[in-house]
């Protein structure tokens, strides 16, 4: 089956001397993996390795056999050129973190237009704004809406957050119950959009603590989720 779709690059891996295995999140077919032969040595081919930087938005034409194997990518071109994401060190570090989050949490090989549009819209916002210190926290919190475990905010005024159930409560219940400054700051991100998130003033330590809580939350709700390796770099960037 031939599909034409927008796609977001999640990751790429060198295979052999000249090939790439590329993981794309496609609007038409969800997460797909492609073997692109000879792209690392090709000088005249229609596809270049530079197309497959993390979270690049592409327009693709692909052949899918839907047998769980590597698919064939026939054409790929930039769908939305970035102005700053791949040249700004801070934004590029955020991109690597977000790409790992997506890779470790999104597994479905089926269309999910709302999730695809959320990721695309988020990247568009990141590309054109300068104040981005809280972007990755906001992105991670909002992503849980599309993955099915967004916290229940009906009792948000209570003291404790239960990471296992996703509920706020007024009593300590288990080792996965948290309270304190980080939880109070975390509450501020619930229902907050990207335009407003930088009004939330955080120290680097507090931002890092919120991220640690969120990543544990992901681990508890997503089988096989792994903490991003890029987290340490990201934690050192923002003061």
């Amino acid at each position: 089956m031939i599909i034409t779709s927008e796609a977001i690059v999640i990751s790429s891996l060198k295979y052999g001397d000249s090939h790439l295995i590329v993981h794309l999140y496609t609007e038409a077919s969800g997460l797909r993996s492609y073997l692109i032969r000879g792209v690392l040595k090709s000088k005249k081919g229609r596809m270049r390795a530079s197309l497959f930087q993390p979270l690049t938005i592409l327009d693709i034409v692909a052949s899918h056999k839907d047998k769980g194997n590597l698919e064939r990518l026939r054409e790929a071109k930039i769908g939305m050129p970035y102005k700053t994401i791949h040249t700004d060190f801070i934004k590029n570090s955020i991109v690597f973190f977000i790409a790992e989050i997506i890779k470790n949490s999104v597994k479905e090989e089926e269309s999910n237009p709302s999730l695809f549009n959320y990721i695309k819209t988020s990247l568009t916002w990141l590309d054109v704004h300068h104040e981005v210190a809280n972007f990755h926290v906001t992105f991670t919190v909002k992503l849980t809406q599309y993955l099915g475990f967004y916290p229940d905010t009906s009792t948000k005024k209570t003291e404790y957050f239960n990471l296992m159930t996703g509920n706020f409560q007024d009593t300590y219940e288990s080792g996965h119950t948290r309270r304190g400054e980080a939880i109070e700051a975390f509450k501020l991100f619930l229902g907050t959009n990207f335009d407003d998130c930088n009004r939330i003033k955080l120290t680097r330590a507090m931002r890092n603590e919120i991220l640690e809580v969120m990543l544990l939350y992901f681990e508890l709700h997503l089988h096989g989720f792994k903490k991003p390796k890029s987290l340490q770099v990201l934690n050192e960037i923002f003061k």
Side-chain angles (χ1 to χ4, degrees), residues 89-102:
F89 172 73
I90 291 176
K91 292 183 180 182
N92 202 35
S93 298
I94 292 173
V95 158
F96 274 95
F97 174 79
I98 290 174
E100 282 195 83
I101 289 285
I102 297 170

Side-chain angles (χ1 to χ4, degrees), residues 155 157-163 165 167-179 183 187:
T155 54
K157 293 183 179 180
T158 54
E159 187 176 7
Y160 292 91
F161 179 55
N162 189 321
L163 282 78
T165 65
N167 297 319
F168 292 93
Q169 56 195 51
D170 55 13
T171 58
Y172 180 85
E173 189 172 298
S174 70
H176 295 309
T177 309
R178 298 285 190 275
R179 69 171 177 175
I183 296 303
K187 291 177 182 180

Side-chain angles (χ1 to χ4, degrees), residues 33-206:
S33 299
Y34 301 89
L35 175 61
I36 309 175
R37 297 185 180 277
V39 67
L40 296 178
K41 291 187 177 180
S42 173
K43 296 182 179 180
K44 297 182 179 180
R46 290 177 294 178
M47 287 186 280
R48 296 282 191 271
S50 58
L51 287 173
F52 304 105
Q53 297 181 68
L55 300 191
T56 300
I57 298 174
L58 302 173
D59 291 326
I60 67 167
V61 178
S63 176
H64 289 176
K65 294 185 177 180
D66 295 325
K67 294 183 177 180
N69 299 319
L70 294 172
E71 308 286 14
R72 179 187 173 195
L73 193 62
R74 294 183 169 215
E75 298 178 22
K77 62 182 181 180
I78 296 293
M80 188 186 75
Y82 290 135
K83 297 178 181 178
T84 64
I85 280 181
H86 288 149
T87 56
D88 183 293
F89 172 73
I90 291 176
K91 292 183 180 182
N92 202 35
S93 298
I94 292 173
V95 158
F96 274 95
F97 174 79
I98 290 174
E100 282 195 83
I101 289 285
I102 297 170
K103 181 180 179 180
N104 292 337
S105 58
V106 179
K107 305 295 183 183
E108 293 77 13
E109 293 186 352
E110 58 187 35
S111 178
N112 187 339
S114 61
L115 175 56
F116 183 90
N117 288 331
Y118 168 64
I119 298 172
K120 179 182 176 182
T121 301
S122 301
L123 294 171
T124 302
W125 189 96
L126 177 63
D127 189 47
V128 299
H129 286 80
H130 301 292
E131 298 296 327
V132 297
N134 289 335
F135 174 88
H136 52 299
V137 180
T138 308
F139 178 89
T140 305
V141 172
K142 290 173 70 69
L143 182 61
T144 63
Q145 288 181 292
Y146 300 89
L147 299 178
F149 53 98
Y150 189 74
D152 180 357
T153 60
S154 62
T155 54
K156 191 170 69 170
K157 293 183 179 180
T158 54
E159 187 176 7
Y160 292 91
F161 179 55
N162 189 321
L163 282 78
M164 187 66 73
T165 65
N167 297 319
F168 292 93
Q169 56 195 51
D170 55 13
T171 58
Y172 180 85
E173 189 172 298
S174 70
H176 295 309
T177 309
R178 298 285 190 275
R179 69 171 177 175
E181 287 186 62
I183 296 303
E184 293 305 311
F186 164 64
K187 291 177 182 180
L188 299 176
F189 285 91
L190 298 173
T192 299
N193 60 34
F194 290 118
D195 289 329
D196 294 332
C197 71
N198 284 308
R199 297 177 186 176
I200 302 172
K201 301 303 179 183
L202 300 173
T203 64
R204 181 170 69 180
M206 184 63 66

